Amino acid sequence: MDMFPFPVIVLLAVFILITLRQTIKIKLEIWQIMLLGAITVLITGQIPIKSAVRSINIDVMLFLFGMFVIGYSLEASGYLSHITYKFFKKAKTSHSLLFAIIFVFGIGSAILMNDTLAIVGTPAILLLSRKHRISAKPMLLALCFAVTVGSVLSPIGNPQNLLIAINGNIANPFITFLKYLLIPTLINLFLVYLLIIVFYKEHIYRWSIIHSEEPIKDRKLAVLSKFSLYLVLFMIILKIVSVASDINLDISLTSIALVSSFPIILLSERRFEIIKKIDWHTLIFFASMFVLMECVWETKFFQEMINGIDVTSIPLILVISIILSQFISNVPLVSLYLPLLLHAGAGEK
């Protein structure tokens, strides 16, 4: 084996570009960098086209597609802003509003994915800040922390959880995630609230606030989006109940997202607009990442490098995850490390 096989060099170059993308003059998005890496290994013949196509995890791609359709429709119809008002209208002070933002968006991100909630939540938070004369900075930080922490709660809360749930040999992902992560997530959401209150107390005053309802922009799409959202919740509950009662219906994460998106795709007059405007960049990122990681995996470079190292060690996983996720996106980190764990025999016990 070469000291550094070419695919590994490409992967390192991708990670370096991701780390430095904010400092170099040529601005590159993460999806563009990952796509460049995948194209490089393809055109240099490091991976056959058939193998590249097979490496793309269709379950992940279809799940993301379905959730993006639902998320965009909720935003475009105005229904998400509308239900945001429903949740926040009971908050009578800026402190209670902050608390509501953290827990509503935190728990919500476990269902609609943190990317979706971050995108639609940002304008909502800015609107709330303007209306109630509250500094936007602590509110946006609250949103950022909330969707990051809250998304940990479920297997569909963020892309890295999805990769672990689908590829990590977890038989009952919703129950498993809730069992181990519900209490820590709630504790950390509360800690987020306390930290923001402490560090931004001069920006968040205890004055009373008055809410005004946000109108729905497209009622037909809102009805379909609402139905799709309820369908997601229903199928998640059905999956949990079926497992708990030993009925064990075969409801995959992919089917939850796809089936729930069908009402919008089939019945909305704006279906083509919705499909056109979903987050295709993230889908390209994932497809490219699967190709590049498969190519790297086939070199057996990392498998041989970890001989004698217990990659399943919890302290090691924590250290690697905390350090590397500061420099590269956590999704490729999980995509790289998860196969090493599975190769070492890790899995749900």
Side-chain angles (χ1 to χ4, degrees):
M1 183 185 71
D2 296 335
M3 183 62 182
F4 288 102
F6 184 71
V8 175
I9 295 174
V10 173
L11 178 64
L12 292 175
V14 166
F15 285 169
I16 291 171
L17 282 174
I18 289 175
T19 304
L20 301 178
R21 70 187 188 279
Q22 300 297 338
T23 59
I24 59 178
K25 291 183 179 180
I26 301 175
K27 298 298 182 182
L28 291 172
E29 300 293 335
I30 292 180
W31 71 271
Q32 294 171 323
I33 297 171
M34 192 62 73
L35 177 61
L36 182 61
I39 291 174
T40 301
V41 295
L42 277 169
I43 63 176
T44 56
Q46 300 297 316
I47 183 172
I49 293 179
K50 287 185 178 180
S51 297
V53 172
R54 285 197 299 267
S55 71
I56 298 174
N57 191 316
I58 298 301
D59 283 335
V60 172
M61 301 297 289
L62 290 177
F63 174 87
L64 291 173
F65 173 82
M67 292 306 294
F68 287 162
V69 166
I70 297 170
Y72 178 82
S73 301
L74 286 167
E75 179 191 9
S77 67
Y79 183 69
L80 198 57
S81 297
H82 179 72
I83 60 174
T84 297
Y85 160 77
K86 297 292 186 183
F87 280 115
F88 293 156
K89 67 179 181 180
K90 294 182 179 179
K92 302 303 181 183
T93 67
S94 55
H95 278 209
S96 59
L97 177 61
L98 175 66
F99 186 87
I101 287 172
I102 291 170
F103 277 86
V104 168
F105 281 104
I107 302 301
S109 66
I111 301 170
L112 288 176
M113 296 193 76
N114 57 0
D115 291 348
T116 302
L117 267 293
I119 291 171
V120 300
T122 299
I125 296 301
L126 291 174
L127 179 63
L128 287 169
S129 297
R130 286 196 302 270
K131 277 186 176 181
H132 305 307
R133 295 177 292 123
I134 303 171
S135 173
K137 185 176 181 179
M139 294 301 181
L140 288 173
L141 282 173
L143 173 66
C144 178
F145 283 122
V147 298
T148 302
V149 174
S151 67
V152 173
L153 182 58
S154 87
I156 61 174
N158 55 56
Q160 56 270 23
N161 278 17
L162 180 64
L163 287 175
I164 293 169
I166 291 179
N167 300 325
N169 298 330
I170 301 176
N172 307 311
F174 283 104
I175 292 178
T176 302
F177 273 70
L178 285 171
K179 177 182 177 181
Y180 292 103
L181 296 171
L182 175 60
I183 301 302
T185 299
L186 294 177
I187 291 173
N188 279 283
L189 286 174
F190 185 70
L191 289 176
V192 167
Y193 169 74
L194 292 180
L195 287 172
I196 292 179
I197 289 294
V198 170
F199 286 99
Y200 291 93
K201 57 185 176 182
E202 70 276 11
H203 297 285
I204 305 174
Y205 302 100
R206 285 187 173 274
W207 56 47
S208 298
I209 56 178
I210 301 174
H211 298 274
S212 58
E213 187 169 359
E214 292 299 313
I216 290 177
K217 303 172 188 176
D218 184 333
R219 292 200 171 274
K220 289 183 179 179
L221 184 58
V223 170
L224 292 173
S225 302
K226 180 180 179 180
F227 181 72
S228 290
L229 179 59
Y230 285 174
L231 199 53
V232 169
L233 295 172
F234 171 75
M235 293 185 71
I236 290 174
I237 294 171
L238 183 62
K239 182 175 179 65
I240 293 173
V241 171
S242 69
V243 172
S245 58
D246 290 328
I247 299 175
N248 203 17
L249 296 175
D250 186 17
I251 304 175
S252 67
L253 299 180
T254 304
S255 63
I256 290 175
L258 273 185
V259 171
S260 299
S261 68
F262 282 163
I264 297 169
I265 295 173
L266 297 177
L267 302 176
S268 174
E269 297 173 354
R270 298 173 62 182
R271 64 178 69 88
F272 295 113
E273 172 202 338
I274 293 167
I275 292 174
K276 180 181 178 181
K277 291 188 176 181
I278 64 171
D279 190 359
W280 286 102
H281 291 164
T282 295
L283 293 175
I284 293 171
F285 169 84
F286 268 87
S288 303
M289 182 187 68
F290 287 134
V291 172
L292 180 56
M293 293 304 179
E294 176 66 17
C295 187
V296 170
W297 183 257
E298 289 301 318
T299 67
K300 300 188 184 303
F301 175 80
F302 288 103
Q303 295 94 308
E304 295 180 12
M305 189 177 71
I306 64 171
N307 277 338
I309 300 175
D310 183 12
V311 294
T312 64
S313 165
I314 300 299
L316 180 63
I317 294 173
L318 286 173
V319 170
I320 290 176
S321 300
I322 292 171
I323 294 176
L324 290 186
S325 64
Q326 306 307 309
F327 300 99
I328 63 175
S329 173
N330 46 17
V331 176
L333 172 61
V334 170
S335 182
L336 178 64
Y337 201 85
L338 181 60
L340 297 176
L341 288 173
L342 297 176
H343 182 72
E348 185 181 15
K349 296 180 180 179

